[in-house]
Amino acid sequence: MFITLQFPLFDRRYFEVNDNRDDRPDWSNPQQRDSVRYFGEIIGRNKNYSGPLDGEKNYCVADSVINFCGTANDHFHKSMHQNAFASRIVFRKFRSDGRYFSKFEVAFNDRFEHTIDAATLQSNNLSDLVFSHIQQYLLCPVKIRIGNRLSNYIPLIDAGRYLTTALYWATIKGRRSFDPKEIQNLVEHGEPVALVQVDSSRIDFKQGGLNNIPLPELAKEDIQLYNHLVPYKLGRYNFNLKAWFICVPKDVYTNPVHKNEFRFYNETIRYLRINLLHIHAETVIRQKFFSLLSKLQDKQELNDQQLIIKLYRSLHKVLLNLSNISRNKMPQEMLVKTAFELDETYNDAESIAETLAGVKGFMAWLKELPLTKQTQQIIESLDQVLVDFESKNAAEMIARTVFISYNHKDEATAQSLKAKLETAQVNVILDSASMKAGTEIKDFITASIQNSKATISIVSNNSLLSGWVGIETVNALNFKDYFPGKEFIACTLNEDFTKDNYVTEASAKFKKRLDEIAAAINQRNNENDSRDLNDEKSRLIMLDKSLDGIIGKLKSMLRIDIAGDNLDKNFQLILNAIKGN
């Protein structure tokens, strides 16, 4: 199996009047032997080599930026290389357009297909086996080099948010800061994507439940293309990673573990990979542009004509690339259509509103340009986008959407409630089904509450003592106070919180955990990043200060008992509460 992960980054500094960026090296065509500060050297790819480095002539080796390290069984190479998979890291590389887009890509080889026998397949679902194997890479512990420091251990799939800071440090002039608050909104990470290449003589997805993309150009060479969302879990939250699966015949894809075997790569596969990676990056950047345009319009900052032109020209270029009938000797219309359909899995009221605001302003500018065949194609495409999005109506979507806040120990109840609500034609936002890869949890919580008519809080001892659920509850109650149309519905599994000494006992538990966190931070005094512990500490301190207020409000409001059979008995009360009755 050959797995490539792409982490796209969007650099907003390109659209600032004084971006304070270092313009060395000269992207997007730097000279060989040039270097990126704190990253490494620029390498020129041998033109005759058409292997897994795809279409890039020059790139920066990023081996030191994404650091697979550890001790004993926690070390990546010991846990994945010294076993039947014989895993290898093929490359870690960085590339930029010198303006607003950069990306990191990481690739692995292994012998996964050779570890699956008939007995294993008979007792397991093929796609589950593949997804489980991919998850090992996604959750592999890494450290990200930021300047001359290494971050704490993080799962590889979460690298994007740290790579933004690494890029900021590598490209900023003058004083540098490690404070995330100073760096936020300057460089943003986009949703990652995976390209998974397998030997079709050993893994056949034709009956695997994946979405097949029929392309005659691939069928001629017995190559099959599929896409799917790969599930994985971090803590209590479930995520989905967009993935493309390229199934190639044995004579094209021989022994993936050894790098020199990539000489068997054929041109069709190479161009397919290039197009898929380009399309994902451009889709992410398109979303970033629409979001940026919407925010600037809200703040009435689009008065600067030069800024408007710079933004719209950049967006125009991205849309021109996406609207190409063919690229790299391969038709891409079906690939773009499929990528957009996969992306719509996540569309919520916020993305609809942002897209509408961005499209409308851009369309007005676009129609003033000289009409070309490609521009006309973009106009027709965006006209349809407007029709589709306006037919969904963001306000109506919010009016019939609820966000379920719960602790992972109560997930069975949350899933049962979700199923009943969806049967009643209510849209449900639930982290186990709604979170895309790389999502910031705090952003997901805020957006989920903001873009819902009601927040249903599953109240239990588990949830009231949880830092994340506590923040969800505080945010939801604040939204209800400031936006009267929002509903907060307390559904209880137990009512221990009504006891007089509940807050005192909870505060003692918080203090015990805070002492443990303080000791752990102190033990890391030689480490460079305690961000995970500091985040948990901040959440618990906030919850400790807010718990008495939360309990007071819960005691004073209507609560719906959903313990055991009461979920069925009282479900109509929940529907009435969503409507505000």
Side-chain angles (χ1 to χ4, degrees), residues 283-342:
T283 302
V284 167
I285 295 303
R286 180 194 67 128
Q287 292 169 335
K288 292 293 184 182
F289 273 128
F290 286 145
S291 176
L292 177 57
L293 285 167
S294 175
K295 289 172 183 175
L296 290 176
Q297 287 167 346
D298 288 343
K299 296 178 181 178
Q300 296 183 333
E301 293 181 11
L302 277 180
N303 298 322
D304 186 333
Q305 192 64 26
Q306 288 186 333
L307 172 60
I308 294 173
I309 292 173
K310 200 172 188 180
L311 276 166
Y312 285 167
R313 280 182 176 169
S314 300
L315 175 57
H316 193 200
K317 181 178 180 180
V318 170
L319 293 174
L320 283 173
N321 288 337
L322 285 170
S323 65
N324 277 344
I325 299 299
S326 65
R327 179 161 55 176
N328 296 318
K329 302 180 182 179
M330 180 176 289
Q332 71 164 19
E333 186 174 0
M334 176 66 79
L335 298 179
V336 173
K337 179 177 180 291
T338 307
F340 277 33
E341 287 173 351
L342 194 63

Side-chain angles (χ1 to χ4, degrees), residues 99-128:
R99 298 185 297 277
Y100 50 80
F101 174 68
S102 301
K103 63 177 180 176
F104 285 85
E105 289 175 355
V106 187
F108 309 93
N109 264 336
D110 65 35
R111 291 175 50 82
F112 172 72
E113 294 95 323
H114 298 266
T115 66
I116 300 178
D117 53 28
T120 304
L121 275 177
Q122 190 171 6
S123 58
N124 293 274
N125 180 283
L126 175 60
S127 57
D128 288 344

Side-chain angles (χ1 to χ4, degrees), residues 34-85:
D34 205 342
S35 64
V36 179
R37 182 198 296 147
Y38 299 115
F39 282 19
E41 191 174 66
I42 301 295
I43 299 295
R45 182 174 61 83
N46 186 332
K47 291 183 179 179
N48 297 321
Y49 179 70
S50 58
L53 293 178
D54 302 317
E56 280 135 14
K57 181 180 178 182
N58 296 304
Y59 61 92
C60 175
V61 175
D63 290 9
S64 66
V65 184
I66 304 174
N67 196 310
F68 292 89
C69 52
T71 57
N73 293 329
D74 292 329
H75 195 288
F76 173 78
H77 285 123
K78 289 189 177 180
S79 61
M80 292 294 285
H81 174 61
Q82 295 180 353
N83 60 21
F85 301 133

Side-chain angles (χ1 to χ4, degrees), residues 286 290 315 319 340 355 358-360 362-363 366 375-389:
R286 180 194 67 128
F290 286 145
L315 175 57
L319 293 174
F340 277 33
T355 301
V359 168
K360 286 179 178 177
F362 175 69
M363 284 279 284
L366 192 63
T375 302
Q376 179 63 36
Q377 191 174 351
I378 292 174
I379 290 173
E380 291 173 359
S381 174
L382 292 181
D383 274 334
Q384 187 59 49
V385 168
L386 288 174
V387 171
D388 291 344
F389 279 127

Side-chain angles (χ1 to χ4, degrees), residues 74-245:
D74 292 329
H75 195 288
F76 173 78
H77 285 123
K78 289 189 177 180
S79 61
M80 292 294 285
H81 174 61
Q82 295 180 353
N83 60 21
F85 301 133
S87 177
R88 303 276 183 93
I89 303 173
V90 181
F91 59 74
R92 284 162 281 179
K93 60 178 182 173
F94 168 76
R95 176 112 178 124
S96 172
D97 69 353
R99 298 185 297 277
Y100 50 80
F101 174 68
S102 301
K103 63 177 180 176
F104 285 85
E105 289 175 355
V106 187
F108 309 93
N109 264 336
D110 65 35
R111 291 175 50 82
F112 172 72
E113 294 95 323
H114 298 266
T115 66
I116 300 178
D117 53 28
T120 304
L121 275 177
Q122 190 171 6
S123 58
N124 293 274
N125 180 283
L126 175 60
S127 57
D128 288 344
L129 282 172
V130 173
F131 294 165
S132 177
H133 181 64
I134 294 171
Q135 286 170 31
Q136 294 182 75
Y137 288 103
L138 304 184
L139 302 181
C140 178
V142 299
K143 291 187 176 185
I144 304 301
R145 184 180 181 184
I146 301 170
N148 55 3
R149 302 184 181 186
L150 284 177
S151 74
N152 209 15
Y153 282 113
I154 59 168
L156 173 60
I157 191 60
D158 245 6
R161 67 189 65 178
Y162 290 81
L163 292 171
T164 59
T165 310
L167 177 60
Y168 170 85
W169 257 76
T171 57
I172 195 69
K173 293 178 183 176
R175 188 184 71 86
R176 300 170 184 84
S177 170
F178 284 101
D179 186 351
K181 293 179 180 178
E182 292 190 30
I183 302 168
Q184 65 183 356
N185 298 325
L186 295 175
V187 182
E188 301 173 9
H189 65 93
E191 182 184 4
V193 71
L195 259 62
V196 182
Q197 196 164 311
V198 298
D199 181 346
S200 61
S201 68
R202 292 181 173 271
I203 293 183
D204 184 359
F205 283 125
K206 290 177 181 176
Q207 305 298 324
L210 276 65
N211 178 36
N212 178 247
I213 296 91
L215 290 177
E217 293 75 16
L218 300 182
K220 290 176 184 176
E221 301 187 45
D222 197 22
I223 299 169
Q224 295 290 320
L225 179 64
Y226 302 86
N227 68 2
H228 206 274
L229 297 174
V230 176
Y232 66 95
K233 190 163 188 172
L234 287 175
R236 62 157 282 202
Y237 287 93
N238 296 282
F239 297 82
N240 290 310
L241 172 68
K242 292 178 187 174
W244 298 89
F245 293 85

